[in-house]
Amino acid sequence: MPPKFTAAIQAFKADKIPVFERGEEEYERSVATPNLLYRFARPEFVLQPETQEHVVAIIQQARRLKLQLTIKCGGHSYAGHSTAFEGVSLDLRRMNWTKLDMRKKTITFGGGCQWGNVYKTLINDREDGYVINGGRCPFVGVGGFILGGGLGPFSRSIGMGSDTVQEISIVTADGKLVTVKDTDDRQSDKGRLFWALCGAGGGNFGVVVEMKLAVKQLRAPGGVVVAGRYQWFAGKDEPDLFDQDDFMSTMHDFYTTDWPERMTIDSTWICDLRLPSGNGVRFLTYFDGDKEDFDATIDKYIKHTTLVTQLKRRSLPEKTTRFLHETLVAQWSEETVKAFPTNKSYSIYSSFVFSNDRPTIERVTTLIREKAAAFRKAFPGERVEFLATFIHSGGKMSNPSPPVNSAFFWRKAIYHMYLTLEWEDKWMERDMRAFLRDAKAELRPLSLNGMAAFVNFPDGALPGSISERMYWGDNEEELRRIKQKWDKENFFQSDQGVRLPGSKEGGKGDKDEGDNGKGDKGKGDKDKGKDEGQGALDQGDDEDLTDSLAGKQWEVYETKDIVADLQELADLGF
């Protein structure tokens, strides 16, 4: 271990900050990841601060010793932005305390909370009829979700996750603890920082150690909501679902419907070659109302008899606390240490942002059906899947207007869609990257402004030199000015993050995955809007990234138990 890391470990232990080194159980649990693309990620050590003072001490020491920090909350970044490939992992998981104040209708929590920690406060106190505007998975980190904007099950009724933030406490690059509020003057330094954190805060301006959110009351009488799940596949003697005559017209009507803001329906197009059932669509329903209103809404807007029947049958009314427990927090237990991931697969993603006008929807869905057919033809017998997930947006999330009133820019979105490619054999990576690259080239021109992507569903292959514009649109320059104020030395170098004014390069991830060390791609200057409609933003060397992450991780990979590691690789079939 280089001397500076040895010195850092001694300094952190002297400050009574929990430090874990390779081979220790907490280290191994912290670096474990369900995405095998990051299987060799081995930071020099892991820090798990327990207090805000710990984080202040960490930033001060890291600045002094020039340590590279990677901030981790839930560890669910699709692009591995919370995974430390080298340097030091700053794992906030121990800062998971919560304080619910129902008199003021607020909840305050530590920066290391996952949504399970937060939801259980309402569950334990049986606060029916109230929700906290959070994610769909209990193991997702609150910080990353909120700082990217956040799309929750009831966000169409109550706004984005970041719209319900009242206060944020953050340790900035100079090692100072700063609290910013929604009441701060928007033109003040603190007001501008608060604005930036609500949609563009992940890893760009500091380490968030505490948040206060509004607890929102839903409209349904009796504290009841309706939620459900239905997977639509063809029957045994029917043609594949995607080939049925009325399937596409049904889906076109479904996506172009201006649904009441109380209704949220997420959907995923499934092309999983491991399943014998052919292609299908999974629907997840969330309704801020009673069952009678839910059924009437489904009857009004969907005409396909089977879909109407099954969506109504598979969606049940329940108290909001039961919904949070069973739908979002099933199997959650604070007392049980989370086991190592059992999902032994590789995955890559890319996101898009769509309106719901009919020409756009018809082109998008047609492309997805064509890609599913091409996927099945190209990879018969392989253990691979192609998914297109539409997260229902719009409603209250379309406010405030214009979009420059929030750091999250794509307020006109009706659907945030992300593609997923997953495979089990590492030799498939080149083919999967090539497939996703081609799909992006066709779908990107249909995204808002011909470029939009959502930072909460990041694509690790996007060059850092253009990702700012794709994630934050016209807010890019203001975010850079705020970066200059609060982190003028660019200490927090986030992959695909906010850069300093005048910078031609992105954060630490530019040469890691985005441009493969070759400089700008896709005409990555501030005139990127000229590429609209051409798909040029996504054109690049995605295939050249094959094995690049594992190769770079391997350069710094180190273990204290080679026998155990070899056994794990053998179990994975390498």
Side-chain angles (χ1 to χ4, degrees):
M1 178 179 290
K4 73 172 183 178
F5 291 113
T6 302
I9 289 173
Q10 292 173 348
F12 293 134
K13 287 184 176 180
D15 288 331
K16 301 187 183 305
I17 298 170
V19 182
F20 302 101
E21 300 179 63
R22 293 166 181 157
E24 295 182 324
E25 180 179 354
E26 283 301 320
Y27 175 97
E28 304 301 336
R29 289 192 180 279
S30 178
V31 303
T33 172
N35 190 342
L36 291 181
L37 285 178
Y38 315 131
R39 63 194 179 277
F40 294 131
R42 305 288 286 180
E44 293 289 340
F45 57 89
V46 172
L47 295 170
Q48 292 185 355
E50 297 173 326
T51 66
Q52 297 178 8
E53 291 74 21
H54 281 175
V55 177
V56 169
I58 288 170
I59 299 305
Q60 291 174 348
Q61 290 284 7
R63 288 288 300 270
R64 182 176 67 86
L65 295 171
K66 295 181 170 54
L67 301 180
Q68 177 180 315
L69 295 178
T70 300
I71 306 167
K72 179 178 181 180
C73 183
H76 278 68
S77 171
Y78 288 171
H81 292 164
S82 54
T83 299
F85 301 130
E86 54 186 316
V88 180
S89 175
L90 177 52
D91 186 347
L92 300 173
R93 67 176 60 195
R94 293 175 181 243
M95 299 180 66
N96 61 2
W97 57 271
T98 60
K99 181 181 179 181
L100 179 66
D101 186 338
M102 287 305 294
R103 183 178 65 84
K104 295 182 178 179
K105 301 297 187 295
T106 63
I107 183 165
T108 307
F109 46 82
C113 275
Q114 297 175 346
W115 281 112
N117 299 112
V118 176
Y119 292 143
K120 76 169 188 176
T121 60
L122 293 177
I123 296 169
N124 291 345
D125 291 345
R126 290 294 193 269
E127 299 290 355
D128 286 312
Y130 293 90
V131 295
I132 300 161
N133 200 358
R136 290 158 168 81
C137 172
F139 297 111
V140 165
V142 174
F145 175 92
I146 293 293
L147 296 174
L151 308 176
F154 298 103
S155 287
R156 284 176 49 80
S157 283
I158 58 180
M160 301 192 71
S162 59
D163 295 337
T164 58
V165 177
Q166 295 183 354
E167 294 183 13
I168 299 177
S169 293
I170 181 172
V171 179
T172 57
D174 57 3
K176 295 182 179 179
L177 179 63
V178 176
T179 297
V180 294
K181 305 177 181 180
D182 61 346
T183 55
D184 290 335
D185 183 350
R186 170 65 180 85
Q187 303 306 316
S188 69
D189 289 339
K190 283 189 174 183
R192 294 171 70 208
L193 178 59
F194 180 87
W195 174 88
L197 291 174
C198 295
N204 289 316
F205 306 100
V207 182
V208 171
V209 294
E210 182 178 296
M211 287 187 182
K212 180 188 286 187
L213 266 62
V215 176
K216 307 296 287 187
Q217 185 171 11
L218 296 177
R219 309 176 196 181
V224 172
V225 296
V226 179
R229 171 189 173 105
Y230 170 57
Q231 295 201 139
W232 187 18
F233 286 88
K236 181 179 178 180
D237 298 322
E238 295 178 335
D240 183 85
L241 180 66
F242 289 7
D243 294 331
Q244 292 184 18
D245 292 339
D246 57 354
F247 171 74
M248 292 299 286
S249 60
T250 297
M251 297 308 294
H252 292 159
D253 291 342
F254 173 81
Y255 289 123
T256 56
T257 292
D258 290 325
W259 291 96
E261 63 184 28
R262 292 194 296 163
M263 177 71 81
T264 300
I265 307 180
D266 299 335
S267 55
T268 299
W269 294 50
I270 303 169
C271 178
D272 189 342
L273 274 60
R274 298 166 295 190
L275 299 177
S277 52
N279 298 312
V281 180
R282 176 171 58 245
F283 297 92
L284 298 176
T285 58
Y286 312 94
F287 184 66
D288 180 9
D290 60 29
K291 187 64 164 65
E292 183 178 357
D293 285 345
F294 173 86
D295 288 351
T297 302
I298 295 297
D299 284 332
K300 179 177 180 180
Y301 292 110
I302 298 179
K303 304 307 177 187
H304 191 285
T305 304
T306 299
L307 188 55
V308 167
T309 300
Q310 295 302 329
L311 286 177
K312 293 194 306 187
R313 286 179 61 86
R314 303 294 179 90
S315 300
L316 304 175
E318 54 192 357
K319 295 283 190 178
T320 57
T321 53
R322 179 181 167 184
F323 163 78
L324 290 172
H325 178 72
E326 292 196 328
T327 306
L328 299 178
V329 202
Q331 302 177 355
W332 171 267
S333 174
E334 184 184 38
E335 291 74 28
T336 302
V337 178
K338 185 182 177 184
F340 287 132
T342 57
N343 179 36
K344 304 298 185 181
S345 63
Y346 305 80
S347 51
I348 52 177
Y349 307 83
S350 194
S351 68
F352 308 84
V353 185
F354 300 127
S355 63
N356 71 335
D357 61 284
R358 199 166 190 95
T360 296
I361 290 300
E362 289 186 356
R363 187 59 185 141
V364 168
T365 53
T366 298
L367 281 170
I368 293 172
R369 183 173 69 167
E370 291 173 353
K371 290 301 177 184
F375 193 76
R376 287 193 174 274
K377 183 177 180 179
F379 307 115
E382 301 289 355
R383 298 184 65 79
V384 296
E385 73 172 339
F386 165 61
L387 307 175
T389 299
F390 291 78
I391 301 297
H392 202 177
S393 187
K396 286 287 195 302
M397 286 182 278
S398 296
N399 297 320
S401 183
V404 291
N405 287 341
S406 69
F408 176 82
F409 187 75
W410 304 114
R411 290 283 178 174
K412 293 182 180 179
I414 303 299
Y415 290 101
H416 289 270
M417 190 270 278
Y418 62 92
L419 299 181
T420 305
L421 274 295
E422 184 174 296
W423 65 99
E424 297 182 15
D425 183 342
K426 78 170 185 176
W427 315 110
M428 294 296 298
E429 182 179 348
R430 185 177 298 279
D431 285 341
M432 296 295 99
R433 287 192 179 276
F435 188 91
L436 183 57
R437 175 202 61 204
D438 294 344
K440 289 192 294 183
E442 295 186 72
L443 284 166
R444 183 66 61 202
L446 301 172
S447 213
L448 290 182
N449 289 16
M451 72 175 81
F454 184 31
V455 71
N456 275 4
F457 306 140
D459 176 350
L462 294 180
S465 54
I466 63 172
S467 59
E468 282 177 289
R469 189 74 173 173
M470 297 175 74
Y471 292 143
W472 300 302
D474 291 345
N475 287 337
E476 176 186 25
E477 295 301 328
E478 171 65 357
L479 288 167
R480 289 191 183 191
R481 289 188 288 268
I482 297 170
K483 176 77 168 178
Q484 176 72 45
K485 167 61 185 177
W486 292 98
D487 187 14
K488 62 184 177 182
E489 296 179 5
N490 203 28
F491 176 73
F492 293 105
Q493 295 185 10
S494 174
D495 288 341
Q496 303 179 353
V498 175
R499 295 173 287 168
L500 292 170
S503 172
K504 293 290 185 180
E505 299 295 329
K508 65 183 180 181
D510 255 26
K511 61 183 179 182
D512 284 345
E513 187 172 18
D515 62 14
N516 210 21
K518 298 178 182 177
D520 288 354
K521 300 198 311 265
K523 301 175 184 176
D525 58 16
K526 63 183 179 181
D527 294 325
K528 290 175 276 299
K530 295 179 181 179
D531 293 325
E532 294 177 22
Q534 304 300 314
L537 288 170
D538 282 304
Q539 295 295 337
D541 302 325
D542 289 44
E543 282 190 77
D544 288 349
L545 302 177
T546 300
D547 204 43
S548 64
L549 284 174
K552 288 167 185 172
Q553 294 163 35
W554 184 253
E555 291 300 315
V556 295
Y557 180 85
E558 187 177 315
T559 179
K560 291 184 178 180
D561 192 347
I562 188 64
V563 174
D565 283 356
L566 289 174
Q567 183 58 54
E568 181 178 356
L569 293 176
D571 292 341
L572 295 173
F574 294 151

